[in-house]
Amino acid sequence: MREIDLSKYQIRTDLVVDLIEENSSLEQKYNYKNVSVSNISLDKDSSLKLGKKPGDYTTIYFDDITDTTNYKNVLKILIDELKKMLKNSKITDDASCMIIGLGNEKSTADELGVSAAKNVTVTNHIYNLTGSLEKGYRITTCLIPGVMGTTGIETSDIISAVVKKVEPDFVLVIDALASDSIDRLLKTIQITNTGINPGSGIGNNRKEISSDVFNIPVIAIGVPTVVDATTIVSDTLNYMKKHFSYNIKNKDSVTDKLIPSSRINYLKNNNYTLSKEETSYFLGALGNLSNEEKKLLINDVLTPIGYNLVVTPKEIDFIVFKLTNLIGEAINKSIHNISTKNI
Amino acid sequence: MREIDLSKYQIRTDLVVDLIEENSSLEQKYNYKNVSVSNISLDKDSSLKLGKKPGDYTTIYFDDITDTTNYKNVLKILIDELKKMLKNSKITDDASCMIIGLGNEKSTADELGVSAAKNVTVTNHIYNLTGSLEKGYRITTCLIPGVMGTTGIETSDIISAVVKKVEPDFVLVIDALASDSIDRLLKTIQITNTGINPGSGIGNNRKEISSDVFNIPVIAIGVPTVVDATTIVSDTLNYMKKHFSYNIKNKDSVTDKLIPSSRINYLKNNNYTLSKEETSYFLGALGNLSNEEKKLLINDVLTPIGYNLVVTPKEIDFIVFKLTNLIGEAINKSIHNISTKNI
Amino acid sequence: MREIDLSKYQIRTDLVVDLIEENSSLEQKYNYKNVSVSNISLDKDSSLKLGKKPGDYTTIYFDDITDTTNYKNVLKILIDELKKMLKNSKITDDASCMIIGLGNEKSTADELGVSAAKNVTVTNHIYNLTGSLEKGYRITTCLIPGVMGTTGIETSDIISAVVKKVEPDFVLVIDALASDSIDRLLKTIQITNTGINPGSGIGNNRKEISSDVFNIPVIAIGVPTVVDATTIVSDTLNYMKKHFSYNIKNKDSVTDKLIPSSRINYLKNNNYTLSKEETSYFLGALGNLSNEEKKLLINDVLTPIGYNLVVTPKEIDFIVFKLTNLIGEAINKSIHNISTKNI
Amino acid sequence: MREIDLSKYQIRTDLVVDLIEENSSLEQKYNYKNVSVSNISLDKDSSLKLGKKPGDYTTIYFDDITDTTNYKNVLKILIDELKKMLKNSKITDDASCMIIGLGNEKSTADELGVSAAKNVTVTNHIYNLTGSLEKGYRITTCLIPGVMGTTGIETSDIISAVVKKVEPDFVLVIDALASDSIDRLLKTIQITNTGINPGSGIGNNRKEISSDVFNIPVIAIGVPTVVDATTIVSDTLNYMKKHFSYNIKNKDSVTDKLIPSSRINYLKNNNYTLSKEETSYFLGALGNLSNEEKKLLINDVLTPIGYNLVVTPKEIDFIVFKLTNLIGEAINKSIHNISTKNI
């Protein structure tokens, strides 16, 4: 079991926060009501170490977005963070923008980029016609390139051809992502000015979409909409350790028995851990594998038999509807200075 | 850990085959190409024992339905089995039929019943207008009652009101189900003349829809479209045992190392099991729990922290499209004697 | 030509304002910004005369609803007029309501009722569960009965069955209508407490949906979404007369030549008419037919050759989207005291 | 009235058959069951005369496409004619193809190109991956450029950028058209190798999409989905003349009174005409205008008051669904040698 060849399987993760240690100096955090935000800046050194590109990574964490109050709070933060990201990327108010919505609009789990992009107000044709725009508007175009399975063309080839023709000053690309953690699924928005790395999305955008390729700033907005069975199993085994530890520590406590074993109680509490022996007793050798080894093993079990399903919550339709409205509105209010075009 | 109160959590399962033992005399099986079929008939005794209603339960197993050959094979079997179920339920060729499509059409994981029902050809209004129907057609109506979250009305109340008014001779109801096994997800169709039990679907049909309530035969067609995280983890732990057993038994076999450890190799091979000691070594106490205990424990870990996600594969949109075409066509060819209305 | 049998063709019109003379004492009018409103109350006498049921008829006229300012103004008026209609119909604040969305959601010209109904917040299931509702909410259910072509069932039969079961205190039904005038197409909303007359909609609701049938108040909201070729031709011939009259009267006026011959100039100006002789010269015997005769004749020409097309403007998708949001929001703010459920 | 300046209004027509005289030597006709076909070849001379580009124009006429038999017959003809057009355009079996679906998929009247294109099987990415294709398949890509109102970019700019990058050997573009005749609306398919002329579609494709621009053959498939009120009125006035003539000629004929005045009777019968005096009596000066003058006048009446509506039949959703399946299947069977990808 220990002989598993670690090199054969590259751990897939799209969220840089998955790679950062707790309390790293690379990360700055803050909260706004029940929304929390992580700002990570990778210089060349730290970028090499983590295998991620140098640049800015912002992650916004939230709860159920179909709740009206959550929606408003996340909207406020997303507008703020997009404005910051534009500023950090040295994009001026008069720079022209191309919005790119990635993904397959026929797939609920993959349509997020397309639907969000369609909610952004475009202005380039009006500028070309009249020679000016109303105050507050930026010259903006929008491209929905489709996915390779339905176009037969590399998505990045379509984008680079149109970018070359239209010559926007920067690109803002939106995509659905895969997550390596249950608790981020549909509950985080990541913004980065490092582009989208190859193979990271859930769609078919296989070639890199980044400033290295297009020679203009590329800002990417991503939301994890799917998770694989490997991650679900691996995360659950970790939660199980916390669960056992909590139950052991509180087995004689009448008070604690009455407290629902909610997330607050132990999920983020580092005191709830098992010793190696306890782990062996409860979860055997499996329990003492590192996260990486555990994922490799589970993947080895599930993939050959066809059950490493990539899944999405059954409420995906309603959540994606809200998220695409939210992202569209936030982009309108940060690149332009207006409300969303959908009343 | 052993003190978990088993009574507090009722195992949810919609497929009667999940409750039947291997090689039970209640079950008859056959294969057609790569489609396999299970016919189960429960009399009063066996029905009490299993906690399922007496009647006929047919389950059709298949692989990827988006494959054209699979589609054709499953279609043939589904038509055959629907005709058998009509005959078993003593439904004559001139009995009038009401098709009922359950579920929420705005939710990809829950729209299966609605979309399939819409593919059935209705004829009642033509019969009322002309006094006759073309040869081969049965008097047929269709009702899409919606879900309680959007109607505010118990779904079974809408159905019973309309059934009372229209007075069909039998009802054929289609719904998306929850599954208790990864390998049946979107890969089985269940037909039964026992109706749909309360709370069994993934939607809001909470009151029973059955011949007990409507006093006419009720045939239900269901497809599992969602699975919860508990089931994914529990199934994976079982697969893991097979995996370890296989690897132990073949660790010196050069030949077997070259054979991909595919499903054929060990998933359905009862020789690949671990001893209690082996299980303890690899998976600890967790590994030696019964299936029921394992699910209870995993549920206890995931539910309080909000991570017992009910999920659906990311390809759900494409698979449901095929399945609803298939079911609509099969119903048309079994209740009528015609092809589907969608060319 | 004069021998055309007028009795054979019943003029189809859904808007009572089409039947009322200019400045009738039955009608009260007012304007709010560029929205105009007509309130008509028919007692038994006037109702017999016009062949319309006694009751209240409100028509709201507006311009392009995709314009944000227009949208807001019409919304305000629609909320006001719905509240008035509830009051006139003696519906109290605690009366329970069933919203009914008529039409075929697969047809853009006919989906208005269904889509608008889906934007209304339902509460009945919450009331049943908790025994109370938040302040401002009325007990509300929603029914989407479908159309006879897809259900095989008379729409009014489905409604009456469910109304009998659920026993709401009143019904609010929404439907797309046919118009007998170009200028009302997608630019009017009619509200009435007389129900929907048989055959008046563009869908398949053939039996009456009214308080006479259900024994509870029935309020109907309708929007004309289609017009037939007969109406287009007939209206154009009338506009042509105005056009010729205007041109004759202003043929030497340099000033008037510079004024664009816009609607304001002559469409509603009764001075621009032609004499019988002028009409004969320009438009022949056709021009001197009464409106009714003209429509009969055009219908006789177009219908047998299959060209009396029922049509809808090509922008229908965008306009219906706005109208269904508007109507949903207005109902929420008049039957409940809340905003729309779609943020 | 006679002083109307004919030069100010350019008659818009997309179908070259509208410009060809009856029995022109430029046109060859044939029938297959109830489908009729017109093949027109314009050389330089005739092209100058008609104001249309030199090249091949094929028009397929049919009745209600939602009828299964009609569907099959039109499909056979469309495959035949597409193959002929490829041959006429000197496109070999191994030439690579880019399918371009024009129009706005959110507008039912304008989505035809997009939806049809999505039904074509693309293969380029498989060829790039494996270096070969199954027998019968051509290297094919597909581009859905969107409309300027939602992209902010000239549609032809997107196309030319991607064509330049992907370098297909020919382009096949599909679009919804405007028609200048009621009887062609949704009942004709036009194929041409002359590209799409500026402003001819109903969407926003304003710059020419043709071999002149792209330097490769461009084959265009178009279906008229909309018609303006001017055309409806003008056509009706012409039908009216036929109607009067028919009635005058048959006023004493008992037999003819019994024959329904169907299309067959007189629409295409050149004997049914009115004299100038008869026309004056029935339709005044209006009746004696040329077709062109009549359209100019009606346009002058309707346009300034905002009522020259561009409309589409209310059944558009169902008809476009069938047409896009038909066109997709026909393209698959003519560019490839396969069935459609949608079973």
Side-chain angles (χ1 to χ4, degrees), chain A residues 13 41 56 71 142 159 167 177 249 274-275 280 282 313 322:
Chain A
T13 182
S41 237
D56 302 306
Y71 184 98
C142 178
I159 298 171
E167 297 187 326
L177 306 176
K249 289 192 175 136
L274 295 180
S275 69
S280 280
F282 285 116
K322 289 293 177 190

Side-chain angles (χ1 to χ4, degrees), chain C residues 108 183 263 281 285 307 312 317, chain D residues 108 183 263 281 285 307 312 317:
Chain C
T108 316
D183 63 352
R263 190 182 208 170
Y281 170 73
Y307 293 151
T312 191
D317 306 75
Chain D
T108 316
D183 65 353
R263 188 183 209 169
Y281 170 71
Y307 293 152
T312 191
D317 306 75

Side-chain angles (χ1 to χ4, degrees), chain A residues 9-275:
Chain A
Y9 178 60
Q10 200 204 331
I11 293 290
R12 183 184 57 171
T13 182
D14 300 299
L15 296 176
V16 74
V17 288
D18 292 345
L19 306 171
I20 291 265
E21 281 165 36
E22 203 71 24
N23 300 319
S24 160
S25 65
L26 297 167
E27 187 179 25
Q28 291 197 307
K29 294 178 174 184
Y30 72 92
N31 292 301
Y32 172 76
K33 294 176 182 176
N34 57 350
V35 182
S36 44
V37 183
S38 148
N39 292 119
I40 295 169
S41 237
L42 297 191
D43 56 17
K44 279 195 184 165
D45 282 356
S46 50
S47 104
L48 277 172
K49 210 172 119 197
L50 294 170
K52 286 277 177 184
K53 291 193 157 198
D56 302 306
Y57 298 85
T58 294
T59 311
I60 303 171
Y61 300 83
F62 45 88
D63 282 327
D64 180 17
I65 199 71
T66 66
D67 173 88
T68 309
T69 307
N70 282 345
Y71 184 98
K72 279 181 197 162
N73 293 338
V74 177
L75 179 61
K76 185 215 162 337
I77 293 300
L78 183 55
I79 294 168
D80 288 355
E81 291 296 333
L82 278 172
K83 283 181 177 172
K84 265 199 252 170
M85 188 63 77
L86 292 175
K87 205 177 159 192
N88 289 348
S89 310
K90 306 200 172 12
I91 292 164
T92 57
D93 281 359
D94 61 348
S96 67
C97 174
M98 182 179 287
I99 307 290
I100 296 173
L102 295 181
N104 185 347
E105 67 190 314
K106 285 203 164 179
S107 164
T108 316
D110 195 22
E111 67 160 312
L112 182 129
V114 176
S115 299
K118 286 184 175 171
N119 286 331
V120 178
T121 301
V122 298
T123 58
N124 181 61
H125 57 309
I126 296 166
Y127 181 80
N128 284 346
L129 198 70
T130 64
S132 69
L133 290 175
E134 273 181 63
K135 202 171 169 323
Y137 285 89
R138 183 191 295 274
I139 294 177
T140 309
T141 52
C142 178
L143 181 69
I144 311 290
V147 292
M148 203 170 66
T150 59
T151 64
I153 312 169
E154 282 278 359
T155 301
S156 69
D157 282 352
I158 296 178
I159 298 171
S160 68
V162 179
V163 163
K164 202 173 163 186
K165 182 90 180 185
V166 175
E167 297 187 326
D169 293 321
F170 74 103
V171 153
L172 199 161
V173 58
I174 315 164
D175 201 6
L177 306 176
S179 178
D180 249 12
S181 156
I182 302 181
D183 64 353
R184 298 207 183 95
L185 193 58
L186 295 168
K187 293 187 174 172
T188 49
I189 297 174
Q190 189 189 32
I191 316 167
T192 174
N193 52 14
T194 61
I196 289 188
N197 292 318
S200 65
I202 67 165
N204 292 307
N205 50 312
R206 308 185 318 161
K207 281 191 195 168
E208 186 171 281
I209 295 162
S210 71
S211 55
D212 294 352
V213 177
F214 300 151
N215 293 313
I216 49 172
V218 172
I219 292 173
I221 299 177
V223 177
T225 62
V226 297
V227 70
D228 61 9
T230 292
T231 301
I232 291 174
V233 178
S234 168
D235 282 4
T236 302
L237 291 170
N238 290 336
Y239 299 147
M240 229 174 238
K241 286 197 213 175
K242 293 251 176 190
H243 180 84
F244 293 142
S245 168
Y246 176 87
N247 282 347
I248 290 166
K249 289 192 175 136
N250 295 291
K251 73 176 169 187
D252 300 322
S253 156
V254 175
T255 322
D256 267 339
K257 289 281 186 205
L258 296 173
I259 295 172
S261 51
S262 78
R263 187 185 211 169
I264 306 140
N265 287 333
Y266 62 78
L267 215 44
K268 295 189 174 175
N269 185 330
N270 290 328
N271 293 331
Y272 292 120
T273 51
L274 295 180
S275 69

